[in-house]
Amino acid sequence: MLFSKLVNKAKKLLRKLTLVHRLGVLVLVFLGLVFILPALTQQPVTLNLLMTAPDAQPWQQGLVKDFQEKNPGIRINIVEGPNATNLLEDLYSSSFLLGDSPYDLVNMDVIWTPKFAAAGWLLDLTNKVTPKELAAFSPKDVEGGTYEGKLYRMPIRSDAAMLYYRKDLLDAAGYKPPETFQQLMEISQALQKDDKIDWGYVWQGRQYEGLVAMFIEVMQGYGGFWVNPQNLEVGLDKPETLNAIAFLKNTIKEGVSPPGVTTYQEEETRRFFQSGKSAFLRSWPYVWPLANQPDSAIKGKIGITTMVHAPGEQSGACLGGWGLGIAKSSRHPEEAWKAIQYFTSEEAQKQFILSAGYVPSRRDLFKDPEIVAKYGHYPKLLEVVDSAVLRPPIAQYSQASDILQRYLSAALTNRMTPERAMKAAADETRRLLNAGKA
Ligand code: GLC
């Protein structure tokens, strides 16, 4: 009844309207259907992003919160993954291989770009950024996101390893920070002998990507190399590599490093050093703010320097770092690019670095007064980043790394002699790279 009354009323009203008015009503109804209704019923777009658990917290507190406040139509859903970068890579890879990956943004380690780009899993970002915009970032970080001349990953943060030392203990005993492998051993043993500290040196010795990152620094410190990306020459069975292994094994044999180091990843070594159990630690810059937290046993007692090397050789720092790509399978590439633009902006980067102590990928931030006031070592860190070595940027990187991880771990844990292990690693790597050439 009521409905038919309403319809009659509407009919009467329409009869009174001129043709022009009727057309106007039609246009209004059309506009309402096309624009207003969807806006009222629209759900925010959610961008999924997988990252290591220690990274997730600083992201949630800073970048994500700020971005969502500025972009109410876009949500960022961070999925916490395992700590080891190679396990995270496996998760991303299998989701892309199986198809229908849930991830829109791809949080990528600096070593993944060639593989992910060659597999066709990422959108080409080359035309989204001008060369001038890219020039604001560290060239090596940009290189780490490029494959066959195209850009697939925007750098979010850089990373370069360093040697942390207990400045209080070294100062009190009259030592300068060590420059050579031998000095590192001597200072450690002297401090241990005088009961100043339980252990000398902690490093990452578990079979995972971090082992390789640590090892290429020791290799470079002895003048060796892993794979030359230019001609694919393999240096694993050279005497320099064996010297590097001998040094690491010796740290354990001499009681300078705890036997457990062969099972440690970054976080185990940080906790060890932070609780005051060792004089030296090889790690990434993320350790600095954590080791200087109010509840840290070594707050205000540490210094950093470049990695040690053999006399006459160069110190090696492994270039690490993370950046964002967009999954080709994402249904929200525009929103994903908007997020990347914000996360890589100067404003967002500065806040992120101030709160998390990460290494900037934008060069200006290394000298930003507020950042330098908080992290006095950043101008020096820029030099370390600039001279850091990229792990070989080859599409078969993850397989090459897996080979080295397996055999190096076997040598360090006495399951194989270093000579036999490195001969096998070199042969397998050559076969892998030759197969790639064919
Ligand atoms: C850090 C580095 C990354 C490296 C990893 C190894 O996260 O940034 O590049 O692969 O450590 O554990």
Side-chain angles (χ1 to χ4, degrees):
M1 277 309 276
L2 186 69
F3 182 68
S4 60
K5 263 190 187 167
L6 276 176
V7 171
N8 280 338
K9 266 203 171 161
K11 275 185 186 163
K12 270 186 204 158
L13 204 71
L14 270 175
R15 253 180 256 134
K16 280 188 204 157
L17 292 177
T18 64
L19 182 68
V20 178
H21 282 130
R22 284 186 205 173
L23 276 177
V25 171
L26 267 179
V27 169
L28 280 180
V29 171
F30 174 76
L31 287 179
L33 285 177
V34 172
F35 293 107
I36 303 171
L37 203 66
L40 289 178
T41 54
Q42 208 169 48
Q43 296 292 324
V45 163
T46 299
L47 301 174
N48 290 314
L49 170 61
L50 171 73
M51 61 177 63
T52 64
D55 263 3
Q57 209 199 0
W59 268 81
Q60 297 279 21
Q61 284 166 351
L63 290 179
V64 168
K65 202 169 132 271
D66 297 343
F67 175 74
Q68 291 185 160
E69 267 165 26
K70 292 190 167 65
N71 297 275
I74 311 178
R75 309 280 85 195
I76 307 279
N77 176 36
I78 292 195
V79 183
E80 286 189 26
N83 286 7
T85 168
N86 48 298
L87 298 182
L88 200 69
E89 188 197 335
D90 289 348
L91 286 182
Y92 268 121
S93 298
S94 46
S95 85
F96 291 133
L97 284 170
L98 292 171
D100 206 24
S101 160
Y103 307 116
D104 301 282
L105 289 164
V106 191
N107 184 41
M108 293 167 62
D109 196 340
V110 68
I111 47 188
W112 301 354
T113 311
K115 171 177 166 183
F116 281 36
W121 295 336
L122 301 173
L123 284 186
D124 177 0
L125 307 178
T126 319
N127 294 330
K128 293 190 183 288
V129 241
T130 64
K132 192 163 164 259
E133 282 166 330
L134 270 186
F137 296 88
S138 286
K140 288 194 179 170
D141 291 327
V142 175
E143 192 187 325
T146 310
Y147 179 65
E148 296 193 335
K150 291 187 180 151
L151 184 76
Y152 292 93
R153 163 194 178 274
M154 282 292 284
I156 294 281
R157 65 177 179 97
S158 193
D159 230 356
M162 352 189 252
L163 184 69
Y164 289 80
Y165 62 92
R166 284 287 300 276
K167 194 168 179 335
D168 57 332
L169 299 183
L170 266 64
D171 285 353
Y175 293 114
K176 283 203 291 211
E179 285 178 16
T180 63
F181 293 111
Q182 199 186 340
Q183 286 166 358
L184 175 75
M185 292 297 278
E186 282 168 5
I187 300 174
S188 294
Q189 284 172 322
L191 293 175
Q192 284 175 285
K193 194 163 148 270
D194 290 346
D195 268 340
K196 301 283 182 230
I197 196 96
D198 290 344
W199 299 96
Y201 180 41
V202 270
W203 42 277
Q204 298 80 36
R206 190 193 186 97
Q207 184 182 325
Y208 80 120
E209 178 59 31
L211 172 68
V212 165
M214 177 282 306
F215 186 60
I216 63 164
E217 296 161 1
V218 184
M219 248 199 295
Q220 180 166 336
Y222 278 102
F225 68 98
W226 176 11
V227 175
N228 177 339
Q230 257 79 47
N231 57 10
L232 299 186
E233 190 192 347
V234 177
L236 291 180
D237 45 3
K238 302 224 180 298
E240 292 84 1
T241 310
L242 296 175
N243 287 340
I245 299 184
F247 163 73
L248 290 172
K249 281 181 77 102
N250 207 29
T251 64
I252 304 174
K253 192 164 136 248
E254 295 286 321
V256 163
S257 300
V261 281
T262 53
T263 63
Y264 289 176
Q265 293 186 191
E266 280 88 354
E267 277 296 85
E268 286 85 9
T269 57
R270 175 185 67 82
R271 284 195 281 266
F272 198 95
F273 181 66
Q274 191 165 322
S275 61
K277 285 198 240 159
S278 73
F280 298 99
L281 160 76
R282 175 270 174 210
S283 199
W284 309 95
Y286 86 100
V287 168
W288 183 269
L290 297 176
N292 280 306
Q293 287 177 149
D295 65 347
S296 162
I298 56 170
K299 179 181 176 331
K301 297 180 178 169
I302 56 175
I304 53 157
T305 185
T306 45
M307 264 305 285
V308 285
H309 51 84
E313 295 294 346
Q314 296 280 317
S315 158
C318 174
L319 186 82
W322 294 80
L324 286 178
I326 304 177
K328 216 182 232 172
S329 52
S330 168
R331 274 178 281 135
H332 312 293
E334 261 128 57
E335 288 84 355
W337 177 245
K338 206 165 182 190
I340 293 186
Q341 275 177 308
Y342 179 73
F343 295 150
T344 53
S345 68
E346 183 143 0
E347 169 205 356
Q349 288 258 306
K350 185 167 166 178
Q351 288 316 317
F352 189 43
I353 278 138
L354 280 172
S355 62
Y358 286 145
V359 184
S361 55
R362 285 183 170 272
R363 296 182 74 78
D364 282 356
L365 293 181
F366 281 94
K367 296 188 177 138
D368 178 278
E370 247 180 283
I371 291 185
V372 176
K374 188 157 182 195
Y375 308 118
H377 55 294
Y378 273 30
K380 178 155 173 72
L381 201 58
L382 181 59
E383 289 167 34
V384 181
V385 169
D386 279 342
S387 59
V389 251
L390 209 60
R391 282 157 279 175
I394 47 174
Q396 311 94 321
Y397 178 80
S398 66
Q399 287 123 294
S401 171
D402 183 65
I403 297 172
L404 181 53
Q405 288 168 36
R406 273 188 285 118
Y407 287 108
L408 179 56
S409 173
L412 293 173
T413 53
N414 304 321
R415 284 175 287 133
M416 278 175 105
T417 64
E419 289 76 11
R420 212 159 64 77
M422 286 303 112
K423 173 84 181 57
D427 288 347
E428 251 183 65
T429 309
R430 287 187 188 114
R431 277 200 297 277
L432 169 77
L433 300 179
N434 280 334
K437 273 189 227 163

